[in-house]
Amino acid sequence: MIMLRRVGRGVVAAGAQRRVLSSSSSPSSSAFPAPSRLTSHQAVATSRIILDILRFGVSGQRLDLLNTDEARKQPLQERWAQAMQVLVATQAHCATAFGYEPSSQGVMQYRGHLTQQLRSGEDPEDQLKTLEDEVWSEVLLRAFALPPKPMSLDEARAFSQRVVADIADRKDVAEGLAEKVAALAEADRDVQALQLVQNTIFDLQLDLAPAFGFDGDGGFVQLQAALVSHVLVDPVVMHTTSAAMHTLCQKANVKPPF
């Protein structure tokens, strides 16, 4: 009888806990305003959490799947896009715990605040920059079995400016993109059109990459990671990278992503 009463109390306690967790009176995420910024401690914490999830969680296992013999049969651009999807999903998972919406808009807001913090000078020991570099190193290692390859700030600026110049000078690029976009069906047109724009930029980058010391498919992947590292901290690289996307979108009549 004593054992039964104890079990009974345990069941009642578990039921009460479920009611508390599902209670409509508990505060919801919508009750809190979206963050207007990240403190230096919050920024470091989010980057550390994201890195740990990539190293020890399911996200890392998903990156590993991109480095199998079967996955390597896919076009490089598709593998890179899939690796970015894994990273963005990981960032979204982490960002929601700090008050951001679980959506692409929420991730963009989080990344914007992280960028602001990287440029703020509030991290004299560069903990945040070190963690961000380690995040990209983990992506390269797990998904592509590649180490990071450094690119100087001057090189990153010159490269991104060359891409923008090629978009402006080469009419065949814009015309070819516009024809592909025009042939798209209405269903999911915006998503597919943006992918075509991104693929066009990738093609231009592949053509230019060897001149900057990034050869072959592996060099292309290392270039992407190196550019992102500079986009986060340098307004010039960020502006020219965004300009490339916006210019192509405008030429092909595609709504830009931001």
Side-chain angles (χ1 to χ4, degrees), residues 107-188:
V107 174
M108 287 178 64
Q109 187 182 31
Y110 162 72
R111 294 297 300 178
H113 291 165
L114 188 71
T115 299
Q116 291 173 6
Q117 189 54 237
L118 277 162
R119 298 177 184 172
S120 68
E122 295 181 16
D123 183 22
E125 297 181 2
D126 285 337
Q127 291 184 72
L128 184 56
K129 180 65 167 60
T130 299
L131 285 167
E132 282 296 293
D133 288 344
E134 289 181 16
V135 165
W136 286 103
S137 294
E138 194 71 15
V139 171
L140 288 177
L141 177 64
R142 300 287 287 273
F144 303 97
L146 288 169
K149 185 174 182 178
M151 186 182 206
S152 72
L153 177 57
D154 287 342
E155 289 174 328
R157 288 178 173 179
F159 181 85
S160 57
Q161 288 164 355
R162 282 280 301 276
V163 173
V164 173
D166 271 14
I167 291 171
D169 295 341
R170 293 180 55 182
K171 292 183 179 180
D172 60 309
V173 172
E175 290 172 356
L177 174 62
E179 289 177 4
K180 293 177 182 178
V181 171
L184 291 175
E186 280 301 315
D188 294 328

Side-chain angles (χ1 to χ4, degrees), residues 85-98:
Q85 289 171 6
V86 172
L87 178 58
V88 169
T90 306
Q91 291 171 337
H93 179 75
C94 176
T96 55
F98 288 78

